[in-house]
Amino acid sequence: MTPKAPVPSFDELLSSATRSALHLEMRDVYAVAEEEEEVRLWRSGEWTLDDGRKALAGWMDLVESITKRGVSVRRARIVSVPVTDYIRYEHALSPLNLSAGEEVRWLPRREALGIPLPAADFWLIDERLVRFNHFSGDGQAVDPEMSEDPAVAALCASAFAAVWDRATPHGEFQL
């Protein structure tokens, strides 16, 4: 068996994009270690958008650098309604994604019925390279996986397009 190639960092992956970087999120809760303190502050009411800006500074710089090159960065989120506290946190944070140059849309899970979806969240780079983000049942990030299989990329492109077409732009999405 051939060992898996290392998965590039998000900086490397997104910096390699020449046309598009598409992100589909499908979980209602993420328990990513680097967000733990931010989420705690948000829940306690101590969090501000400036706190989020500080926490996301590296991400925002990366997105700004690639969108300035003309790369389209779009994020679609499929969410259960009523939404979880974590989704409320993401919604509160999304203006920062927008200010960095991302487009963000939201789709209630019931409206996603009938869309063939891959089993995991993903980033699709230039409709050719897929990074699957795997999570444990409790939302902890586990080893990501890459695919350059054209059929897998086509499934992800089709799924993203269908979700994007049905989804509501961030500014219009009501929690």
Side-chain angles (χ1 to χ4, degrees):
M1 186 159 111
T2 308
K4 287 183 183 178
V7 175
S9 70
F10 280 116
D11 284 8
E12 294 168 319
L13 183 67
L14 270 66
S15 294
S16 74
T18 59
R19 294 181 314 280
S20 63
L22 310 177
H23 187 36
L24 182 61
E25 297 178 356
M26 298 181 281
R27 294 184 55 89
D28 289 320
V29 175
Y30 294 88
V32 181
E34 57 267 14
E35 292 179 343
E36 203 170 280
E37 181 61 12
E38 290 296 307
V39 173
R40 186 194 67 73
L41 288 171
W42 176 83
R43 281 191 175 122
S44 72
E46 301 172 47
W47 181 89
T48 67
L49 209 50
D50 283 337
D51 293 325
R53 188 172 284 108
K54 289 175 194 164
L56 287 181
W59 177 256
M60 292 175 67
D61 289 345
L62 174 62
V63 172
E64 286 174 1
S65 74
I66 66 172
T67 57
K68 283 180 182 173
R69 289 191 287 112
V71 174
S72 171
V73 180
R74 296 186 290 161
R75 179 185 304 258
R77 293 177 170 133
I78 298 174
V79 297
S80 297
V81 176
V83 300
T84 63
D85 278 350
Y86 185 86
I87 294 301
R88 288 183 188 286
Y89 163 75
E90 280 193 327
H91 192 270
L93 201 62
S94 290
L96 298 176
N97 297 86
L98 297 170
S99 71
E102 282 189 57
E103 294 178 73
V104 178
R105 291 190 182 181
W106 301 81
L107 183 64
R109 194 167 309 282
R110 288 182 179 268
E111 294 177 30
L113 297 177
I115 299 174
L117 297 167
D121 290 9
F122 64 84
W123 277 95
L124 176 62
I125 305 300
D126 295 333
E127 296 190 3
R128 63 168 183 77
L129 176 65
V130 182
R131 175 193 163 120
F132 288 104
N133 296 324
H134 296 292
F135 296 89
S136 64
D138 64 358
Q140 299 291 322
V142 295
D143 292 337
E145 194 172 337
M146 299 290 292
S147 176
E148 293 186 70
D149 180 329
V152 172
L155 168 68
C156 291
S158 174
F160 187 89
V163 169
W164 192 258
D165 287 347
R166 293 184 190 184
T168 303
H170 174 75
E172 299 170 25
F173 185 73
Q174 301 297 314
L175 297 179

